[in-house]
Amino acid sequence: MTVESTAARKTTRRSSGAKRTAGASAGVKKTAEAGPGEPELIQLLTPEGERVQHPDYDIDLSAGELRGLYRDMVLTRRFDAEATALQRQGELGLWASLLGQEAAQIGSGRALRDDDYVFPTYREHGVAWCRGVDPTNLLGMFRGVNNGGWDPNSNNFHLYTIVLGAQTLHATGYAMGIAKDGADSAVIAYFGDGASSQGDVNESFVFSAVYNAPVVFFCQNNQWAISEPIEKQTRVPLYQRARGFGFPGVRVDGNDVLACLAVTRTALERARRGEGPTLIEAYTYRMAAHTTSDDPTRYRRDAEREAWEAKDPILRLKAYLENEGHADAAFFEELEAESETLGKHVREVVRAMPVPEHTAMFDNVYADGHALVDEERAQFLAYQASFADGEAE
């Protein structure tokens, strides 16, 4: 792992400082073209780490800003790996890994302004990092010791939503509200390719288009809705669905942090100008299991993962940094040390968390209690007691 020193860059929320440029900068190559069988998508950084230009989406970042994006992705991946390990060790009940999707989340997350509002699903750990949410608060929820762990209004980052697609309606309603208030901020809603089939998502498209809501729908198409491949979700590219609802859609290389930053920034600016919603399809890949309860070897081939490993978002930015002389060995060494420090901190905090009471899941289901819940609690307690009596198999 590689990580950058905190002295080089603050970890609090901030805009990336990216600037749109009208022409190509020195040393920037022509726009990359899709090869045979490859999808058409917006790309500014090739898998080999070569910078390319796009006529509609281009950014000019300083060396420090590029190192900052790299640091974001590396630390997010380190945190994610530690969380996966903690779940395997029995410290967490479940974990949804973002491995491979760092560029989509960091690029879009750093395009946001402080006054923008985020509605995530349950995998947006990188976006949470960009919004300044303490990573250990995320783990408290997956350990079962809290119901979220952070105040959404402190970071303009809503609590994780487990119900597929529900957050898109929340985001649309919130966007309609801030438009009525006259604010020039924007809203972004994250969801996956599987959730795109949910009624809530399509209903949010209808309302956002009709009411011209300042919302960006950011779909991370990681190719698999648990064990269902994308070809069983749609007959056309997901971004083209937006056209039927009356607003634009765009497909971006989800493993290219620069392209994700540029495209999301443009969509957010469009929303703030009162031009309505945009659908962004970040074409990426889920390198790990859907969650730690999933076994992807039962439905995916190794060759597929290996092909996507060659498009790793962190490796391509590292190659660019090295080729352009924007980062030296000291930078990567400091980042490695910071990564290990983060991992150690996460382990210590999680292991210091209390072990949740087994019956806590029955609490607060109803404000005044419920006979059926009481019955289920009693059955659960009897089942637990059977282990002590040696009755359970």
Side-chain angles (χ1 to χ4, degrees):
M1 289 288 179
T2 317
V3 188
E4 178 189 11
S5 168
T6 50
R9 178 173 163 275
K10 295 180 180 180
T11 58
T12 54
R13 290 181 289 149
R14 55 107 173 99
S15 296
S16 66
K19 299 178 181 178
R20 297 286 301 280
T21 58
S25 59
V28 176
K29 295 188 176 182
K30 187 180 178 181
T31 305
E33 296 181 357
E38 295 181 355
E40 293 286 346
L41 40 76
I42 295 166
Q43 185 181 89
L44 300 180
L45 195 62
T46 71
E48 295 74 29
E50 296 182 352
R51 184 74 163 85
V52 294
Q53 184 191 12
H54 192 279
D56 300 318
Y57 302 95
D58 204 48
I59 51 176
D60 182 17
L61 299 176
S62 69
E65 289 167 335
L66 290 167
R67 289 194 299 269
L69 293 172
Y70 181 78
R71 173 182 176 272
D72 283 335
M73 291 195 292
V74 169
L75 288 180
T76 299
R77 179 171 291 187
R78 182 66 178 86
F79 162 71
D80 181 70
E82 194 64 41
T84 299
L86 287 167
Q87 194 284 328
R88 296 307 189 199
Q89 296 163 9
E91 301 290 350
L92 303 178
L94 187 73
W95 184 248
S97 173
L98 59 62
L99 183 62
Q101 299 177 220
E102 295 88 356
Q105 296 193 16
I106 297 301
S108 61
R110 288 305 182 194
L112 295 160
R113 291 192 332 206
D114 283 0
D115 59 329
D116 294 333
Y117 208 101
V118 180
F119 287 84
T121 58
Y122 47 79
R123 200 188 301 274
E124 276 67 60
H125 320 315
V127 185
W129 171 270
C130 292
R131 301 305 277 179
V133 176
D134 186 339
T136 58
N137 280 340
L138 304 179
L139 300 181
M141 183 183 70
F142 285 93
R143 187 176 172 90
V145 298
N146 63 44
N147 295 318
W150 65 91
D151 179 359
N153 293 323
S154 296
N155 308 78
N156 279 14
F157 185 80
H158 201 266
L159 297 177
Y160 275 4
T161 303
I162 307 300
V163 179
L164 292 184
Q167 73 281 0
T168 59
L169 282 174
H170 304 159
T172 299
Y174 191 93
M176 292 166 59
I178 61 175
K180 289 181 179 296
D181 290 341
D184 71 340
S185 54
V187 177
I188 187 167
Y190 290 88
F191 60 99
D193 48 292
S196 70
S197 298
Q198 295 293 319
D200 285 2
V201 173
N202 290 273
E203 289 168 11
S204 68
F205 288 175
V206 172
F207 274 88
S208 64
V210 171
Y211 289 94
N212 208 46
V215 59
V216 174
F217 298 105
F218 196 93
C219 176
Q220 294 174 82
N221 178 3
N222 64 20
Q223 312 304 312
W224 290 92
I226 308 183
S227 59
E228 290 297 308
I230 185 61
E231 56 265 25
K232 291 190 177 181
Q233 293 290 329
T234 182
R235 294 284 297 273
V236 300
L238 292 178
Y239 76 96
Q240 292 184 5
R241 290 185 178 181
R243 187 184 309 168
F245 292 92
F247 58 89
V250 60
R251 174 184 275 177
V252 62
D253 184 344
N255 285 19
D256 177 356
V257 67
L258 303 186
C260 289
L261 173 60
V263 169
T264 307
R265 174 168 295 227
T266 298
L268 290 168
E269 290 173 349
R270 180 179 179 276
R272 295 189 192 101
R273 291 194 301 266
E275 298 176 21
T278 301
L279 170 62
I280 298 174
E281 178 192 356
Y283 200 80
T284 183
Y285 190 74
R286 168 169 57 79
M287 299 296 291
H290 174 70
T291 68
T292 47
S293 64
D294 173 41
D295 179 9
T297 63
R298 300 182 63 182
Y299 55 83
R300 292 196 316 204
R301 296 181 179 180
D302 291 341
E304 178 180 298
R305 177 186 168 111
E306 291 169 1
W308 278 92
E309 285 178 343
K311 306 174 185 178
D312 186 281
I314 294 179
L315 294 181
R316 74 170 68 181
L317 183 54
K318 182 178 183 181
Y320 180 65
L321 290 173
E322 292 177 328
N323 293 340
E324 297 298 317
H326 292 322
D328 55 17
F331 163 76
F332 295 113
E333 290 172 2
E334 291 174 354
L335 193 52
E336 176 68 22
E338 187 181 3
S339 175
E340 290 305 312
T341 299
L342 175 63
K344 180 180 179 181
H345 171 70
V346 168
R347 287 194 302 273
E348 291 175 346
V349 171
V350 169
R351 288 172 176 167
M353 290 178 180
V355 177
E357 292 291 336
H358 291 164
T359 57
M361 60 182 166
F362 298 102
D363 299 337
N364 304 315
V365 177
Y366 290 94
D368 300 321
H370 193 280
L372 181 58
V373 174
D374 293 340
E375 180 182 348
E376 291 173 342
R377 181 190 290 108
Q379 291 175 348
F380 179 77
L381 288 172
Y383 175 70
Q384 290 291 317
S386 70
F387 285 95
D389 298 337
E391 297 176 5
E393 296 182 358

